[in-house]
Amino acid sequence: MRIVAAVFLLGCALRAEPPSIVDLQPRGAQKGKPFSLTVVGQNLGEGVSVISNLPASFTSMASEKQGTATFLVEPKTEWAVGVYTIRVKGSNGLSNILLFSVGAFPEITEDESRPGALPHQNDSIERAQALPSAAVTVNGTLQGPERDIFRIQAKAGERRFLKWKRGARGRRSTR
């Protein structure tokens, strides 16, 4: 009877679902700067590690809630601006791949895209999110049909360059 129970438990363990990633927070980082990366998903379990072509070390940190794994990401060499793959490996297998952007400018998160934030915080001119005057990359997530409005300071005659990237989870395209 003990052998049957052991075989049954072993079979259940072998059929455990592999990890699955649904989001990366943040979705991008400034090249060469250390940051904390939170992987959000299912079946992450304890002891997951990151597999990535980003030349960095990924040190596991305490995660705040179920379904997340947090890592301190530190550059090993100079990063090229571009898109890198992120996936996790656990005792139950490998996850899907999501894409992570590395840019030349500091990264900030749109106010309403922060965890626990209320929706529609910057959907009108009166409630536009102010952006710093220095060059930045803004990360955000559209929740269904919505618009986001930002406020910038400029002087007459100044030239500004604005660039948008859009994409589904794990996919980016330039417009």
Side-chain angles (χ1 to χ4, degrees):
M1 188 61 149
R2 289 184 195 183
I3 294 174
V4 171
V7 169
F8 176 74
L9 290 175
L10 179 62
C12 290
L14 292 176
R15 293 187 338 177
E17 291 290 322
S20 174
I21 303 174
V22 295
D23 195 15
L24 299 173
Q25 299 169 355
R27 292 172 187 84
Q30 183 179 8
K31 71 176 191 168
K33 302 284 184 183
F35 64 96
S36 292
L37 174 69
T38 299
V39 177
V40 180
Q42 289 90 34
N43 306 315
L44 297 178
E46 289 190 31
V48 294
S49 59
V50 173
I51 298 175
S52 177
N53 60 345
L54 181 64
S57 64
F58 293 83
T59 305
S60 183
M61 299 170 58
S63 292
E64 295 178 11
K65 57 184 179 178
Q66 182 83 6
T68 66
T70 302
F71 300 88
L72 173 61
V73 182
E74 298 175 288
K76 288 184 180 177
T77 62
E78 183 64 29
W79 295 346
V81 170
V83 179
Y84 295 87
T85 59
I86 302 277
R87 75 185 325 175
V88 295
K89 178 182 177 185
S91 60
N92 49 344
L94 292 174
S95 73
N96 54 308
I97 293 173
L98 287 187
L99 300 179
F100 185 83
S101 295
V102 171
F105 304 113
E107 306 258 338
I108 63 172
T109 301
E110 174 201 19
D111 287 344
E112 69 182 20
S113 294
R114 295 180 191 283
L118 297 173
H120 310 296
Q121 291 184 28
N122 63 336
D123 290 358
S124 68
I125 292 174
E126 296 79 20
R127 297 177 64 178
Q129 179 179 342
L131 296 179
S133 58
V136 296
T137 298
V138 179
N139 290 304
T141 301
L142 293 173
Q143 301 294 331
E146 74 163 319
R147 63 180 167 201
D148 292 324
I149 300 174
F150 300 93
R151 183 179 317 276
I152 60 170
Q153 297 292 320
K155 296 178 184 174
E158 277 186 334
R159 291 183 178 217
R160 297 291 175 136
F161 176 75
L162 305 172
K163 181 178 178 180
W164 282 264
K165 284 187 176 182
R166 64 168 178 81
R169 292 181 183 133
R171 189 181 67 176
R172 294 185 97 79
S173 61
T174 304
R175 276 211 147 167

